[in-house]
């Protein structure tokens, strides 16, 4: 699709729980690394070690069982990958609701300042679990999170992919559309691209 998400844009993967949103985000991150991009993958849902294991499998072409059974073969494939592709990956996890989009922006700046790592793609798994501002209306609060994420993409000149849940009705639908996004219509208004995982 014309090279994927552009800088200063927010893309969202939408699906019900347990339909592969986290794995879709790992695939997007892996493809960016293969394309030579620097990726920061932040999870507020899953431990960094589990995310890393998924990247290991994707980037080496080995299954989880093969990686566990053959660590020397895995190390060899990973080193071969690093010699072929120049993209870099940083994975960071946080407890749910403990970090805001602007905290992530501070982390991006720290990586550039201290480590020379200039993030080109930020993956957030997932935005619904970021820290929300204290608002009387929960739908407005989650809308603010998405608005702040898009502001971070603009101010940091990066692309951001994240994920969001559907409503309960999304479970039984063969085809999802934007009416199925959970919690707040603000997510739809703010996002540049929404991709639904249908089943």
């Amino acid at each position: 699709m014309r090279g994927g998400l552009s800088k200063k844009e927010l893309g969202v993967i939408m699906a019900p729980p347990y339909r592969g949103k986290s794995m879709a985000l790992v695939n997007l991150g892996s493809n960016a690394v293969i394309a030579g991009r620097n990726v920061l993958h932040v999870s507020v849902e899953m431990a960094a070690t589990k995310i890393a294991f998924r990247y290991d499998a994707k980037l080496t072409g080995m299954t989880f069982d093969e990686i566990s059974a053959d660590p020397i073969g895995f190390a060899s494939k990973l080193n071969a990958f690093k010699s072929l592709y120049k993209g870099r990956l940083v994975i960071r996890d946080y407890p749910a609701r403990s970090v805001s989009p602007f905290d992530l922006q501070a982390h991006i700046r720290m990586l550039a300042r201290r480590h020379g790592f200039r993030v080109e793609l930020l993956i957030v798994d997932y935005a619904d679990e970021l820290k929300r501002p204290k608002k009387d209306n929960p739908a407005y609060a989650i809308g603010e999170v998405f608005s702040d994420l898009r502001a971070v993409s603009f101010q940091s000149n990066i692309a951001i992919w994240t994920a969001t849940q559907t409503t309960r009705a999304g479970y039984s639908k063969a085809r999802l559309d934007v009416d199925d996004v959970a919690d707040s219509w603000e997510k739809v208004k703010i996002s540049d691209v929404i991709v639904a995982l249908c089943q």
Side-chain angles (χ1 to χ4, degrees), residues 40-76:
L40 171 60
H41 189 123
V42 172
S43 177
V44 288
E45 181 185 41
M46 193 180 302
T49 51
K50 288 183 90 172
I51 297 288
F53 207 31
R54 291 179 176 204
Y55 273 100
D56 290 342
K58 174 70 177 171
L59 297 175
T60 63
M62 298 176 74
T63 66
F64 295 156
D65 290 339
E66 289 170 339
I67 291 171
S68 297
D70 185 12
I72 294 171
F74 163 71
S76 175

Side-chain angles (χ1 to χ4, degrees), residues 9 128 149 160 171 173 189:
E9 288 186 340
D128 292 358
L149 258 186
I160 298 178
Y171 270 112
K173 288 190 172 182
K189 296 193 310 189

Side-chain angles (χ1 to χ4, degrees), residues 84-145:
L84 288 173
Y85 301 103
K86 300 305 175 200
R88 292 165 57 199
L89 172 67
V90 171
I91 301 170
R92 177 72 199 266
D93 59 4
Y94 293 93
R97 306 284 176 93
S98 69
V99 62
S100 74
F102 294 113
D103 293 331
L104 298 181
Q105 185 176 42
H107 190 68
I108 289 167
R109 289 175 176 156
M110 181 278 296
L111 287 172
R113 189 174 61 253
R114 290 190 193 167
H115 305 287
F117 184 89
R118 302 206 177 274
V119 174
E120 296 171 274
L121 172 63
L122 170 62
I123 293 179
V124 180
D125 188 10
Y126 58 99
D128 292 358
E129 291 301 317
L130 290 176
K131 186 176 183 180
R132 299 180 184 185
K134 290 182 174 27
K135 303 283 181 188
D136 292 335
N137 184 337
Y140 183 74
I142 191 64
E144 283 286 298
V145 168

Side-chain angles (χ1 to χ4, degrees), residues 25-43:
L25 292 173
V26 167
N27 286 332
L28 289 166
S30 297
N31 290 336
V33 170
I34 289 168
R37 305 293 183 207
N38 289 338
V39 177
L40 171 60
H41 189 123
V42 172
S43 177

